[in-house]
Amino acid sequence: MTDFNYCICLLFFVYFKCRVEYAHWALKRVLLNSLEDLCSVWDAMNYKITLQHTEIKASFETSTHVVGHVFKITLYKRLLGMVSRYALNQIVVEFECVRYASKNLSSCGCVMRTTHGLPCACELSKYVLGSIPLDSIYMFWSRLSFSDQELSEPQVTIKEEMETISKRFEELDVCGKVTLKSKFREITYPDQNSVSSSRKGQH
């Protein structure tokens, strides 16, 4: 073993030894007495965990209701109370890049959209004079519930869109209706389209 490897191993040993000793000290601080029985230890640990749970919940509730000054503009109107504070802060940082991305859209790279599911600079440039739509935020950031029991899968429907499309369909002439219907058939029956395409290729 080289001197360098020996130093690395020694460093890890000291580091983990300190972590273990700190954990031991923290446990003794919670229990106050190392001679207690199992029931007393259990009660002490339960009390400590409950206390931490209450503190975290209070902090969480504060973060969902307290609105920072930076968010009191039209841009974030649709997101307040619907999106986590962390996501909002990420959007604020990304919005600072809009002035550069608007001049050169290729410089954006869409990293924020790819890694976080949040609007990147080139997307945010479209909402400068309006509000960021909620559906541009990945659903992970909109689950603002502290309890797992309160969480449910978001209801996603296309009822409103289908009603609008149906009205538009009735307004079209025969040629337009045939074109629109063929596009819907491509979406509804993708297997049939692939089969017909392969047959055309054979001919």
Side-chain angles (χ1 to χ4, degrees), residues 118-136:
L118 298 172
C120 55
C122 62
E123 285 185 64
L124 291 174
S125 63
K126 304 173 186 176
Y127 311 126
V128 172
L129 300 178
S131 301
I132 302 172
L134 184 60
D135 58 9
S136 67

PDB file of all heavy atoms in Angstrom, residues 118-136:
ATOM      1  N   LEU A 118     -39.024  21.653 -15.562  1.00  0.00           N
ATOM      2  CA  LEU A 118     -39.478  23.030 -15.368  1.00  0.00           C
ATOM      3  C   LEU A 118     -39.170  23.851 -16.618  1.00  0.00           C
ATOM      4  O   LEU A 118     -38.277  23.507 -17.386  1.00  0.00           O
ATOM      5  CB  LEU A 118     -38.787  23.649 -14.151  1.00  0.00           C
ATOM      6  CG  LEU A 118     -39.058  22.979 -12.805  1.00  0.00           C
ATOM      7  CD1 LEU A 118     -38.161  23.567 -11.727  1.00  0.00           C
ATOM      8  CD2 LEU A 118     -40.525  23.137 -12.415  1.00  0.00           C
ATOM      9  N   PRO A 119     -39.900  24.955 -16.826  1.00  0.00           N
ATOM     10  CA  PRO A 119     -39.662  25.775 -18.018  1.00  0.00           C
ATOM     11  C   PRO A 119     -38.227  26.293 -18.070  1.00  0.00           C
ATOM     12  O   PRO A 119     -37.711  26.802 -17.074  1.00  0.00           O
ATOM     13  CB  PRO A 119     -40.657  26.931 -17.864  1.00  0.00           C
ATOM     14  CG  PRO A 119     -41.701  26.433 -16.930  1.00  0.00           C
ATOM     15  CD  PRO A 119     -41.007  25.488 -16.002  1.00  0.00           C
ATOM     16  N   CYS A 120     -37.599  26.151 -19.223  1.00  0.00           N
ATOM     17  CA  CYS A 120     -36.247  26.669 -19.403  1.00  0.00           C
ATOM     18  C   CYS A 120     -36.338  28.119 -19.897  1.00  0.00           C
ATOM     19  O   CYS A 120     -37.423  28.652 -20.094  1.00  0.00           O
ATOM     20  CB  CYS A 120     -35.464  25.813 -20.386  1.00  0.00           C
ATOM     21  SG  CYS A 120     -36.284  25.623 -21.986  1.00  0.00           S
ATOM     22  N   ALA A 121     -35.193  28.737 -20.112  1.00  0.00           N
ATOM     23  CA  ALA A 121     -35.159  30.162 -20.473  1.00  0.00           C
ATOM     24  C   ALA A 121     -35.901  30.454 -21.769  1.00  0.00           C
ATOM     25  O   ALA A 121     -36.638  31.439 -21.860  1.00  0.00           O
ATOM     26  CB  ALA A 121     -33.705  30.616 -20.572  1.00  0.00           C
ATOM     27  N   CYS A 122     -35.730  29.594 -22.784  1.00  0.00           N
ATOM     28  CA  CYS A 122     -36.400  29.862 -24.061  1.00  0.00           C
ATOM     29  C   CYS A 122     -37.914  29.721 -23.928  1.00  0.00           C
ATOM     30  O   CYS A 122     -38.671  30.403 -24.629  1.00  0.00           O
ATOM     31  CB  CYS A 122     -35.848  28.955 -25.160  1.00  0.00           C
ATOM     32  SG  CYS A 122     -36.089  27.189 -24.894  1.00  0.00           S
ATOM     33  N   GLU A 123     -38.395  28.851 -23.021  1.00  0.00           N
ATOM     34  CA  GLU A 123     -39.836  28.749 -22.771  1.00  0.00           C
ATOM     35  C   GLU A 123     -40.341  29.961 -22.007  1.00  0.00           C
ATOM     36  O   GLU A 123     -41.394  30.510 -22.326  1.00  0.00           O
ATOM     37  CB  GLU A 123     -40.148  27.487 -21.970  1.00  0.00           C
ATOM     38  CG  GLU A 123     -40.080  26.191 -22.737  1.00  0.00           C
ATOM     39  CD  GLU A 123     -40.534  25.023 -21.887  1.00  0.00           C
ATOM     40  OE1 GLU A 123     -41.720  24.996 -21.501  1.00  0.00           O
ATOM     41  OE2 GLU A 123     -39.703  24.148 -21.591  1.00  0.00           O
ATOM     42  N   LEU A 124     -39.584  30.366 -20.996  1.00  0.00           N
ATOM     43  CA  LEU A 124     -40.001  31.494 -20.159  1.00  0.00           C
ATOM     44  C   LEU A 124     -40.076  32.794 -20.954  1.00  0.00           C
ATOM     45  O   LEU A 124     -40.846  33.691 -20.610  1.00  0.00           O
ATOM     46  CB  LEU A 124     -39.026  31.663 -18.987  1.00  0.00           C
ATOM     47  CG  LEU A 124     -39.061  30.552 -17.934  1.00  0.00           C
ATOM     48  CD1 LEU A 124     -37.954  30.750 -16.916  1.00  0.00           C
ATOM     49  CD2 LEU A 124     -40.411  30.513 -17.231  1.00  0.00           C
ATOM     50  N   SER A 125     -39.288  32.895 -22.025  1.00  0.00           N
ATOM     51  CA  SER A 125     -39.309  34.104 -22.840  1.00  0.00           C
ATOM     52  C   SER A 125     -40.685  34.311 -23.482  1.00  0.00           C
ATOM     53  O   SER A 125     -41.057  35.434 -23.823  1.00  0.00           O
ATOM     54  CB  SER A 125     -38.227  34.029 -23.921  1.00  0.00           C
ATOM     55  OG  SER A 125     -38.474  32.954 -24.811  1.00  0.00           O
ATOM     56  N   LYS A 126     -41.461  33.236 -23.630  1.00  0.00           N
ATOM     57  CA  LYS A 126     -42.801  33.338 -24.215  1.00  0.00           C
ATOM     58  C   LYS A 126     -43.814  33.911 -23.225  1.00  0.00           C
ATOM     59  O   LYS A 126     -44.881  34.376 -23.623  1.00  0.00           O
ATOM     60  CB  LYS A 126     -43.287  31.969 -24.684  1.00  0.00           C
ATOM     61  CG  LYS A 126     -42.363  31.266 -25.663  1.00  0.00           C
ATOM     62  CD  LYS A 126     -42.848  29.857 -25.934  1.00  0.00           C
ATOM     63  CE  LYS A 126     -41.879  29.072 -26.802  1.00  0.00           C
ATOM     64  NZ  LYS A 126     -42.316  27.659 -26.990  1.00  0.00           N
ATOM     65  N   TYR A 127     -43.490  33.836 -21.925  1.00  0.00           N
ATOM     66  CA  TYR A 127     -44.448  34.245 -20.897  1.00  0.00           C
ATOM     67  C   TYR A 127     -44.071  35.556 -20.226  1.00  0.00           C
ATOM     68  O   TYR A 127     -44.642  35.898 -19.180  1.00  0.00           O
ATOM     69  CB  TYR A 127     -44.559  33.157 -19.822  1.00  0.00           C
ATOM     70  CG  TYR A 127     -44.773  31.771 -20.356  1.00  0.00           C
ATOM     71  CD1 TYR A 127     -43.933  30.719 -19.995  1.00  0.00           C
ATOM     72  CD2 TYR A 127     -45.808  31.490 -21.235  1.00  0.00           C
ATOM     73  CE1 TYR A 127     -44.122  29.437 -20.494  1.00  0.00           C
ATOM     74  CE2 TYR A 127     -46.013  30.218 -21.732  1.00  0.00           C
ATOM     75  CZ  TYR A 127     -45.154  29.199 -21.356  1.00  0.00           C
ATOM     76  OH  TYR A 127     -45.345  27.927 -21.843  1.00  0.00           O
ATOM     77  N   VAL A 128     -43.139  36.303 -20.790  1.00  0.00           N
ATOM     78  CA  VAL A 128     -42.666  37.542 -20.164  1.00  0.00           C
ATOM     79  C   VAL A 128     -43.816  38.506 -19.912  1.00  0.00           C
ATOM     80  O   VAL A 128     -43.885  39.152 -18.862  1.00  0.00           O
ATOM     81  CB  VAL A 128     -41.592  38.208 -21.046  1.00  0.00           C
ATOM     82  CG1 VAL A 128     -41.237  39.586 -20.499  1.00  0.00           C
ATOM     83  CG2 VAL A 128     -40.338  37.345 -21.109  1.00  0.00           C
ATOM     84  N   LEU A 129     -44.745  38.603 -20.845  1.00  0.00           N
ATOM     85  CA  LEU A 129     -45.870  39.538 -20.716  1.00  0.00           C
ATOM     86  C   LEU A 129     -47.125  38.863 -20.176  1.00  0.00           C
ATOM     87  O   LEU A 129     -48.187  39.495 -20.125  1.00  0.00           O
ATOM     88  CB  LEU A 129     -46.164  40.178 -22.074  1.00  0.00           C
ATOM     89  CG  LEU A 129     -45.012  40.982 -22.693  1.00  0.00           C
ATOM     90  CD1 LEU A 129     -45.417  41.529 -24.055  1.00  0.00           C
ATOM     91  CD2 LEU A 129     -44.582  42.107 -21.766  1.00  0.00           C
ATOM     92  N   GLY A 130     -47.025  37.603 -19.788  1.00  0.00           N
ATOM     93  CA  GLY A 130     -48.192  36.882 -19.283  1.00  0.00           C
ATOM     94  C   GLY A 130     -47.863  36.101 -18.029  1.00  0.00           C
ATOM     95  O   GLY A 130     -47.090  36.547 -17.181  1.00  0.00           O
ATOM     96  N   SER A 131     -48.457  34.907 -17.914  1.00  0.00           N
ATOM     97  CA  SER A 131     -48.244  34.047 -16.746  1.00  0.00           C
ATOM     98  C   SER A 131     -47.767  32.671 -17.201  1.00  0.00           C
ATOM     99  O   SER A 131     -48.154  32.195 -18.269  1.00  0.00           O
ATOM    100  CB  SER A 131     -49.544  33.890 -15.947  1.00  0.00           C
ATOM    101  OG  SER A 131     -50.024  35.142 -15.515  1.00  0.00           O
ATOM    102  N   ILE A 132     -46.964  32.056 -16.374  1.00  0.00           N
ATOM    103  CA  ILE A 132     -46.485  30.708 -16.662  1.00  0.00           C
ATOM    104  C   ILE A 132     -47.636  29.733 -16.427  1.00  0.00           C
ATOM    105  O   ILE A 132     -48.185  29.677 -15.322  1.00  0.00           O
ATOM    106  CB  ILE A 132     -45.303  30.329 -15.755  1.00  0.00           C
ATOM    107  CG1 ILE A 132     -44.168  31.326 -15.927  1.00  0.00           C
ATOM    108  CG2 ILE A 132     -44.811  28.916 -16.058  1.00  0.00           C
ATOM    109  CD1 ILE A 132     -43.036  31.138 -14.924  1.00  0.00           C
ATOM    110  N   PRO A 133     -48.059  28.946 -17.407  1.00  0.00           N
ATOM    111  CA  PRO A 133     -49.173  28.002 -17.207  1.00  0.00           C
ATOM    112  C   PRO A 133     -48.770  26.847 -16.300  1.00  0.00           C
ATOM    113  O   PRO A 133     -47.619  26.398 -16.326  1.00  0.00           O
ATOM    114  CB  PRO A 133     -49.481  27.527 -18.630  1.00  0.00           C
ATOM    115  CG  PRO A 133     -48.213  27.723 -19.388  1.00  0.00           C
ATOM    116  CD  PRO A 133     -47.539  28.920 -18.790  1.00  0.00           C
ATOM    117  N   LEU A 134     -49.708  26.383 -15.519  1.00  0.00           N
ATOM    118  CA  LEU A 134     -49.434  25.300 -14.581  1.00  0.00           C
ATOM    119  C   LEU A 134     -49.067  24.008 -15.294  1.00  0.00           C
ATOM    120  O   LEU A 134     -48.252  23.223 -14.786  1.00  0.00           O
ATOM    121  CB  LEU A 134     -50.654  25.069 -13.683  1.00  0.00           C
ATOM    122  CG  LEU A 134     -50.510  24.019 -12.572  1.00  0.00           C
ATOM    123  CD1 LEU A 134     -49.381  24.401 -11.616  1.00  0.00           C
ATOM    124  CD2 LEU A 134     -51.809  23.878 -11.800  1.00  0.00           C
ATOM    125  N   ASP A 135     -49.631  23.775 -16.481  1.00  0.00           N
ATOM    126  CA  ASP A 135     -49.340  22.527 -17.178  1.00  0.00           C
ATOM    127  C   ASP A 135     -47.940  22.482 -17.776  1.00  0.00           C
ATOM    128  O   ASP A 135     -47.530  21.459 -18.323  1.00  0.00           O
ATOM    129  CB  ASP A 135     -50.380  22.258 -18.272  1.00  0.00           C
ATOM    130  CG  ASP A 135     -50.453  23.383 -19.294  1.00  0.00           C
ATOM    131  OD1 ASP A 135     -49.600  24.288 -19.255  1.00  0.00           O
ATOM    132  OD2 ASP A 135     -51.366  23.360 -20.141  1.00  0.00           O
ATOM    133  N   SER A 136     -47.183  23.580 -17.652  1.00  0.00           N
ATOM    134  CA  SER A 136     -45.786  23.571 -18.094  1.00  0.00           C
ATOM    135  C   SER A 136     -44.850  23.068 -17.000  1.00  0.00           C
ATOM    136  O   SER A 136     -43.655  22.923 -17.222  1.00  0.00           O
ATOM    137  CB  SER A 136     -45.352  24.980 -18.525  1.00  0.00           C
ATOM    138  OG  SER A 136     -45.312  25.865 -17.413  1.00  0.00           O
TER     139      SER A 136
END
